[in-house]
Amino acid sequence: MAWMKRTAVGLVVAALLAGTGAAVYVQRSFAVVDGTLQVPGLRDAVRVQRDPSDVTHVRAQTPQDAWFAMGYVHAQERTWQLEFNRRVMHGELSEVFGPATVETDKLMRALDIKGAAKRQYAGLPQYAKDALQAYSQGIYAFHQNRPQALPPEFHVLGVQPGGERGAVWEPEDSVGWALMMALDLGGNWGTEFARLSVARMLDTDRLWQLMPPYPGEKPAASADLAALYRQLGVYRAADAGSTAATQGNTAAAASRKPEGPLARQISSGMLAWADELTRNAGTNEGKGSNNWVLAGSRTVSGKPLLANDPHLGLSAPAIWYFAGLQAPAGQASDGTPIGAIDAVGATLPGLPFVVLGRTDKVAWGFTNTGPDVQDLYLEQINPADATQYRTPQGWAPFTVRKETIRVKGEADVVLQLRSTRHGPVLSDVQKSHAEVLDLDKYVLALRWSALDDDNQTVLAGFKTNQSKSVDELLAGLAHYHSPMQSVVAADDQGTIRFKAAGRVPVRDAANDIRGVAPSPGWDARYDWKGWLPYEQTPQDDGHKGWVATANQRVTAPGYPHFLTQDWALPYRYERIAQLIEATPKHDAASMQAIHRDVASLATQRLLPHLQQAQSTHPLAAAAQKELQGFDGVMDAGRAAPLIFVAWTDELARGLIIPRIGEGRFKATYGKRDYRAAIEGILERNDAWWCQPATCGEQSAAALGRALDRLQAAYGADPAQWRWGAAHPALSVHRPFGNVPALARFFDVSVPSHGDSYTVNVGQYNAGEAKGPYVNRHAASLRAVYDLADLEQSRFIYQTGQSGLVFSPRYRDMSTTWAETGYRALQRQPARWAHSLTLAPTPPATTR
């Protein structure tokens, strides 16, 4: 009995010690937000104060110290995010995650994001280099003498910040992260490849029915694409439209699972993420944003109002970190003057400036313009010498470089990467290309504007933070390169304006493909012929009293330059326009009401076809009862939106798979929902697409299949189904979002309204096997700026400022975001919630 008592006491003591140790670790993992920290590398003391909205304000005596302190703060709050992002763009994930992420690393090495960033950094003016150096030194200073424990991600994965070299963040990495944003937002090579793939199964007219041009327009390409590719013989002989190569890679990686259940789950989750990243790279499908600006003639105050909600993939922590930077004018190391910095808004960890926000005089917001700045080229291989490809001047050698990827637990992967005069050969690293192309005859090379050495997008970011008027802001954005953004701006003098800022190629008049599908790389007429001058990119001075952009066509009728035909469908823009015009004079509250709107014009268009479906399914009558009176408002608390979405999903599968094959459909479906194709088929009552049934019978059959799926998932009573149950907004953590034991702590999930076409967007990926209707891409932030009093500006985003999972600030905005609420966004708050001084390390004394 004495032995048992001693054992019990020992276990209790051990548990208490473990609990105490855990509690101490949790407390030590929090960012230091009060008091004074000695930080080597600063010139003068910097105040870092957090206001009641948890916006971090950096107030420095020199611009360099402001940028340094911003790096320090990002490291405090988002250390793991910086580490993960650096490894993504360097192609170094596999050092941590093993074979699961090799394909992603291959893609990043082929694009040479790291190399392009170094070349672009070298071309920046000295003051921009000084800024990026100061920022990276701030991150390094945090790690040099960390005042807090490392976040749990590092401990669980056995990783040290910066890896073996300890290079936690280099100045070039900030340029690289700007390139990664361009990759996320500025790509269409995936759409071009999808057209190439589908053209094997469809003639060109049917191809344009499946992937239509913008409403009211003709296809941009006049070439007969299907005939061209057949004539060239580009397709591999054994192509059943399968995804066997990708699945084989998945299976191979899964078969090399590391030891331990936690490691297996992390590997499995990263494999799914890596497959999605490589599959969706180079596509704008399902990506969008809203912004609009009203002149004083349309507002209660007589001064402009501006709203913005950029739509990005939801993550935990969020992509944004809200901060303010203030510093007086200074000078760079080469004596170049640096203007005073005074801005507050959304920063990106990895960049030292406010990307979206305001100064004391001007506010701005971005949406993605989405011009075609990526062209795929079919490069013909010399049949007599596979080291050469065909050019307008004859055969030329591929440029070849070697890359070595270190893989945890496995041998290194050594790559021989080729490039042509157009750019990197993507088919060397994209397995989907090997499924379709005869790679003994042709490869696909990428021409992408963002990789050019003269890309100075980061310089434009610094300029915005010094702007005092719309004119100054847009002059600074002349340096903006990639990805092109539709900028709306307003200042306190009443000026409003829209401008598309960024680089767009000019194509030859004889180019009959115009970049919408892969072009013969040896024909000079398909080469780019220069760049559209900044003064000729789309713009609007707000002559009608307001301007709005939602990724729709932003060029006016008669605009002489070709930008793209792959604009987003105009439903969100049309709804914003309706709501603006419905109110003669707007205020901040009515702007916020537009942010909340979840009426889907796209749903309204197709809804009659669903309501007329004559299904014999046992639940059809109950489902149609839920659809009675449904007006396309995608409310989380109703069953009708869920029924509609499941029906459109099944309808797409039923109409398209028989025509292009299941494998090809899986490879192209998901964020691309083929909505425009479905609308056209049903409205034309197109017998070819609907065969062997009628379109009405296809609609009814799709409803039956949808009801089977919904019944299996949510029970046999449609009245109890809820759109929100299938459609939570899920901000996923990497890599722990796919680890069941950890996901509930690291992920952030809240109910959400909307669909892909509502102003309050809730974009889902219907191709996902797990959670096909989960909202994974939504308003990454919302902001409303009142130019009558910019201190009345408001913002919100979907997680919290801290990226440290144990912090109460990790998810504390999520409920407010889901309810479309806001926090104050002020430059001069009335009080501070926390106040920290970063003090320079005193010089060493000598004796």
Side-chain angles (χ1 to χ4, degrees), residues 90-138:
H90 285 196
E92 295 175 352
L93 287 171
S94 300
E95 292 183 11
V96 177
F97 300 107
T101 52
V102 166
E103 296 306 313
T104 297
D105 285 347
K106 285 182 179 180
L107 178 60
M108 295 306 152
R109 300 294 182 96
L111 292 173
D112 195 21
I113 298 293
K114 184 177 178 180
K118 286 184 176 180
R119 294 187 293 273
Q120 292 171 10
Y121 173 80
L124 290 173
Q126 189 59 47
Y127 103 79
K129 290 181 181 178
D130 286 355
L132 298 182
Q133 289 167 5
Y135 177 75
S136 66
Q137 288 163 2

Side-chain angles (χ1 to χ4, degrees), residues 132-386:
L132 298 182
Q133 289 167 5
Y135 177 75
S136 66
Q137 288 163 2
I139 296 173
Y140 180 74
F142 169 79
H143 287 286
Q144 228 182 342
N145 185 23
R146 278 190 297 270
Q148 62 200 67
L150 279 174
E153 292 93 332
F154 290 94
H155 298 293
V156 172
L157 297 168
V159 178
Q160 284 297 312
E164 292 181 0
R165 294 188 301 113
V168 289
W169 197 266
E170 300 295 333
E172 297 90 343
D173 290 333
S174 292
V175 181
W177 195 240
L179 280 173
M180 291 300 294
M181 294 305 298
L183 178 63
D184 185 47
L185 296 172
N188 75 330
W189 91 62
T191 301
E192 292 184 33
F193 179 74
R195 290 191 177 107
L196 171 72
S197 177
V198 170
R200 183 168 192 177
M201 308 302 295
L202 302 175
D203 63 34
T204 300
D205 288 342
R206 301 292 185 196
L207 171 64
W208 290 123
Q209 290 175 353
L210 180 63
M211 304 178 74
Y214 194 68
E217 298 183 3
K218 295 179 180 180
S222 58
D224 186 338
L225 297 174
L228 172 66
Y229 298 141
R230 284 196 300 269
Q231 178 185 354
L232 292 175
V234 303
Y235 298 110
R236 60 178 292 186
D239 173 26
S242 73
T243 55
T246 300
Q247 292 168 349
N249 173 64
T250 300
S255 70
R256 302 189 295 266
K257 294 173 181 175
E259 296 296 325
L262 181 61
R264 285 197 298 270
Q265 290 177 39
I266 292 172
S267 177
S268 176
M270 289 304 296
L271 179 62
W273 172 83
D275 282 350
E276 181 184 2
L277 186 149
T278 52
R279 184 175 67 250
N280 291 324
T283 176
N284 281 331
E285 300 283 349
K287 298 174 182 177
S289 304
N290 306 316
N291 63 17
W292 63 96
V293 61
L294 278 62
S297 61
R298 296 300 306 270
T299 70
V300 173
S301 70
K303 290 286 189 178
L305 290 164
L306 188 149
N308 191 199
D309 54 299
H311 307 158
L312 297 168
L314 301 181
S315 63
I319 192 171
W320 303 109
Y321 182 85
F322 267 72
L325 289 89
Q326 292 184 26
Q331 64 179 28
S333 58
D334 64 354
T336 303
I338 302 174
I341 302 169
D342 190 350
V344 63
T347 70
L348 285 170
L351 294 170
F353 48 77
V354 171
V355 178
L356 296 171
R358 69 179 186 88
T359 66
D360 60 334
K361 301 289 186 182
V362 60
W364 67 94
F366 288 178
T367 68
N368 205 29
T369 313
D372 188 349
V373 297
Q374 291 180 342
D375 279 2
L376 287 179
Y377 288 91
L378 286 160
E379 307 286 21
Q380 185 176 8
I381 297 175
N382 187 344
D385 183 354

Side-chain angles (χ1 to χ4, degrees), residues 2-20:
W3 175 84
M4 293 177 63
K5 287 180 180 179
R6 287 195 299 271
T7 301
V9 170
L11 290 173
V12 170
V13 170
L16 289 172
L17 289 172
T20 301

Side-chain angles (χ1 to χ4, degrees), residues 745-765:
F745 300 106
F746 285 86
D747 287 355
V748 178
S749 181
V750 290
S752 69
H753 305 282
D755 71 2
S756 302
Y757 302 99
T758 52
V759 178
N760 184 2
V761 76
Q763 192 267 335
Y764 53 89
N765 184 343

Side-chain angles (χ1 to χ4, degrees), residues 529-546:
K529 306 303 179 183
W531 304 100
L532 185 62
Y534 183 63
E535 60 271 15
Q536 295 181 31
T537 65
Q539 53 194 354
D540 189 328
D541 62 2
H543 59 278
K544 66 180 178 182
W546 60 272

Side-chain angles (χ1 to χ4, degrees), residues 454-460 463 474-481 534:
D454 64 349
N455 184 346
Q456 295 192 342
T457 295
V458 294
L459 178 59
K463 297 285 189 181
L474 296 184
L477 287 170
H479 297 280
Y480 199 96
H481 190 292
Y534 183 63

Side-chain angles (χ1 to χ4, degrees), residues 528-566:
W528 295 353
K529 306 303 179 183
W531 304 100
L532 185 62
Y534 183 63
E535 60 271 15
Q536 295 181 31
T537 65
Q539 53 194 354
D540 189 328
D541 62 2
H543 59 278
K544 66 180 178 182
W546 60 272
V547 187
T549 78
N551 317 108
Q552 85 288 358
R553 177 174 180 163
V554 296
T555 55
Y559 182 74
H561 307 291
F562 174 74
L563 299 187
T564 184
Q565 75 163 24
D566 294 323

Side-chain angles (χ1 to χ4, degrees), residues 606 609-617 619-620 623-624 627 642-656 658 665 669 678 681-682 690 693-711 721 773:
L606 278 184
H609 297 278
L610 171 58
Q611 292 171 328
Q612 294 161 15
Q614 301 297 312
S615 172
T616 59
H617 193 281
L619 299 185
Q624 288 291 1
L627 292 168
L642 178 57
I643 298 168
F644 174 84
V645 164
W647 169 74
T648 57
D649 182 11
E650 288 297 334
L651 189 59
R653 297 172 188 274
L655 293 175
I656 299 172
F665 178 82
Y669 189 56
I678 295 169
I681 291 167
L682 294 185
C690 293
T694 68
C695 290
E697 290 167 343
Q698 287 279 15
S699 179
L703 176 58
R705 295 193 301 273
L707 293 175
D708 282 340
R709 288 176 61 184
L710 296 177
Q711 181 176 0
W721 298 345
Y773 309 134

